[in-house]
Amino acid sequence: MARIAVIGAGMGAMAAAARLAVAGHRVTVYERSRTYGGSLGQYAEDGFTFDTGPGLLHLPAVYRDLFVKTGKEPLERRVTLTQVDPASRHLFADGTSVSLPNASRAGTVAALDTALGGGAGATWGAFLDRARDAWDRSRRPLLEEPLRPDWQVLGRDPYPAEERRRLLRPARRAGTVAEVGAWELADPRLAALLDGYALGYGLDPSRAPAGAALLPYMEETFGTWYVSGGMRALARAVYERCLARKVEFVFGAEVARVVEKDGRAAGVELADGTVAEAAHVVLGVRPWPGLVPGQELWADGDVTVRADGAGAGRFVVMLSLRGGRPADAVHRTVVHPADGAAEREAVFGGRLAAHPTVTVLRPDDPSTRPDAEHEAVTLVATVAPHGPVDWTDEALRARFVETLTGAAGAAVPGLRERVLRTRVRTPAETAADTGAEGGAVPPPALGGAGGAFLHPANRTRLPGLLLAGGWSHPGGGLAHAGMSGALVAGTVVEGEDFRGSR
């Protein structure tokens, strides 16, 4: 039984801690803030409750597996999971709309055909066939196995883009999400639908490889789920599972550096000078300069930092509304702008988007509101991080709230007249709470683009130091963070023989 120090109490770090504790190790988690959960925060005021991070769960099998592997009690005994149906409603700039059912390929095709016409459903269905190929090719190496030493082979895009023949010119294949939308989907509304999936994960559709097609495939195949009480309830369940497995948490403990001894990680030094020895150190947050003084964590040629797509944050507007939630309200509505290219250029160029894509969340959950005569609604937009945009500027924040509220009015009629109170969370608050530079949110790892959308491996150049969470393989997103915890635990327990989760 070894002592293991875990830095950070995010979902990936806690997933690793619970698995390592079950394997017989003595695990202590050091968290700089006063609570657990990382991005799964919650804000409550006067009976209204809002998620400040992800509002929905995809691939719940990752957390079901965590609970099965760390005890006899299944996940569903700790939280109530409900499939969201329809999974999403989409409002387009030309006035058309479509509601997509949860985890129903045939239902999605039929809904698109009915709403958009022109064979839109068949076009999207053919795209999902190709996306399934990307998923099948990517699932093991990108999600369930440690990052390969020859990671460069993942630089080839797994998406089988259609060849488009052109008269007197060379044939072309889509290489980015935006090109898939323009060349293969053709209908600008289908292109906006695909762009919305990429933006939701903090990816620039004009730069993200076509292999990002596996993201809508994953959601539309495995479903969209809501956790009763909000996603914070999932964080609480994982935290309590850690406690039940004798994981110790030390909150308000900022780690200054990893202690190195005889060429391997030997513990952590806290900001107050306290040193805690450990046989292994798990870093559950983004590495920072000076983490291991004098040590390079990766060899030349390794994946060290993301070259593209890491510069997006989240702007969250929490609205306390008078008036009850209508029975026919949809949990998630995405309002798409007329000019997606202009939005991409603004967000990933470090500017404020004049017309952003807005996701409106209206959970049918009594615990989120004081009574049936009120409603809690959350608006979310992908934005430039703090730094390029000064998210502490109150006037700028207020203007952007107006922009999002105006767009959301298409999903919630009479929205402005119903607002009792508005609370805002920007990348500036995310940066202050999590330490992530600019409040950036890590996107998932993707194949293609020469490996520019991969993340650092869980095993570093310093023996005994491993990485978990969204800034390591396999990247950001709740499901991906949970997978990183499984990969770290497997690496510690099985060592060089570990070949991936099963």
Side-chain angles (χ1 to χ4, degrees):
M1 181 172 67
R3 288 184 177 272
I4 297 179
V6 177
I7 304 173
M11 296 300 283
M14 290 198 295
R19 290 176 182 271
L20 289 167
V22 165
H25 297 291
R26 296 176 61 186
V27 183
T28 302
V29 176
Y30 299 91
E31 166 58 46
R32 67 191 289 269
S33 73
R34 296 292 176 181
T35 189
Y36 55 84
S39 65
L40 291 188
Q42 195 170 73
Y43 178 79
E45 184 177 15
D46 295 338
F48 293 93
T49 302
F50 305 88
D51 284 320
T52 59
L56 294 167
L57 177 65
H58 306 290
L59 279 181
V62 172
Y63 289 94
R64 288 183 176 130
D65 181 72
L66 171 64
F67 275 71
V68 167
K69 298 291 176 59
T70 59
K72 297 180 179 179
E73 187 178 40
L75 173 62
E76 279 80 357
R77 287 190 183 175
R78 303 302 302 171
V79 299
T80 300
L81 293 176
T82 304
Q83 281 193 302
V84 176
D85 204 4
S88 59
R89 179 172 60 139
H90 296 265
L91 305 181
F92 300 104
D94 68 353
T96 57
S97 67
V98 61
S99 292
L100 303 181
N102 197 335
S104 172
R105 167 74 171 275
T108 294
V109 168
L112 288 169
D113 271 336
T114 300
L116 306 186
T123 299
W124 187 258
F127 158 72
L128 286 181
D129 285 338
R130 296 187 292 277
R132 178 185 59 205
D133 289 344
W135 168 263
D136 290 341
R137 296 170 182 175
S138 301
R139 181 177 61 86
R140 287 294 297 171
L142 276 182
L143 301 178
E144 299 173 354
E145 297 176 350
L147 188 65
R148 309 169 50 144
D150 60 340
W151 58 265
Q152 291 85 351
V153 301
L154 298 175
R156 294 193 293 269
D157 201 313
Y159 180 77
E162 289 185 320
E163 184 175 82
R164 296 291 178 176
R165 298 188 180 278
R166 300 183 294 173
L167 185 64
L168 302 179
R169 289 185 292 174
R172 65 184 184 184
R173 295 179 186 270
T176 67
V177 169
E179 289 173 348
V180 170
W183 301 351
E184 296 184 5
L185 300 181
D187 188 316
R189 295 165 297 185
L190 293 182
L193 179 62
L194 177 57
D195 280 0
Y197 281 107
L199 280 169
Y201 284 93
L203 293 162
D204 179 355
S206 64
R207 302 176 74 183
L214 62 85
L215 299 173
Y217 174 82
M218 179 181 74
E219 289 195 21
E220 295 190 16
T221 300
F222 302 109
T224 299
W225 303 75
Y226 176 69
V227 180
S228 295
M231 295 303 296
R232 181 68 177 172
L234 177 63
R236 186 181 308 113
V238 175
Y239 171 67
E240 291 174 350
R241 175 52 54 95
C242 286
L243 293 179
R245 298 300 169 260
K246 309 303 181 184
V247 174
E248 180 184 359
F249 285 80
V250 183
F251 295 107
E254 184 169 359
V255 173
R257 67 183 183 94
V258 172
V259 175
E260 182 266 337
K261 183 178 180 181
D262 298 329
R264 65 170 292 116
V268 296
E269 180 180 337
L270 304 183
D272 65 4
T274 302
V275 173
E277 296 182 351
H280 297 275
V281 176
V282 177
L283 180 65
V285 298
R286 192 175 193 179
W288 64 88
L291 171 67
V292 186
Q295 273 279 2
E296 291 294 334
L297 295 185
W298 297 276
D300 289 343
D302 282 354
V303 179
T304 56
V305 295
R306 293 179 50 81
D308 292 302
R314 300 287 187 273
F315 190 97
V316 181
V317 181
M318 296 164 277
L319 300 174
S320 302
L321 305 183
R322 61 172 63 87
R325 181 184 187 274
D328 61 351
V330 174
H331 189 121
R332 175 174 59 167
T333 299
V334 182
V335 183
H336 298 273
D339 190 348
E343 177 187 17
R344 297 194 301 264
E345 291 172 5
V347 171
F348 298 98
R351 304 189 306 278
L352 205 62
H355 302 286
T357 299
V358 180
T359 298
V360 182
L361 298 175
R362 307 177 72 182
D364 186 11
D365 185 348
S367 71
T368 65
R369 51 188 182 259
D371 53 50
E373 301 305 315
H374 294 85
E375 183 181 8
V377 171
T378 303
L379 315 180
V380 185
T382 298
V383 297
H386 182 56
V389 174
D390 181 6
W391 289 115
T392 64
D393 184 327
E394 291 297 334
L396 181 148
R397 290 158 65 109
R399 287 198 307 272
F400 204 60
V401 168
E402 281 298 305
T403 297
L404 267 60
T405 304
V412 186
L415 177 61
R416 279 198 173 96
E417 293 72 25
R418 295 179 58 194
V419 174
L420 290 170
R421 184 184 300 109
T422 302
R423 294 291 181 261
V424 177
R425 182 177 175 85
T426 78
E429 284 77 41
T430 302
D433 291 347
T434 68
E437 184 178 355
V441 178
L446 297 171
F453 288 79
L454 299 174
H455 289 265
N458 307 107
R459 182 185 285 118
T460 71
R461 194 178 184 184
L462 180 65
L465 175 63
L466 301 106
L467 307 184
W471 293 108
S472 65
H473 179 73
L478 266 178
H480 294 72
M483 293 173 190
S484 77
L487 292 174
V488 164
T491 299
V492 171
V493 174
E494 299 184 28
E496 297 293 334
D497 295 330
F498 181 61
R499 294 293 178 266
S501 304
R502 298 292 179 183

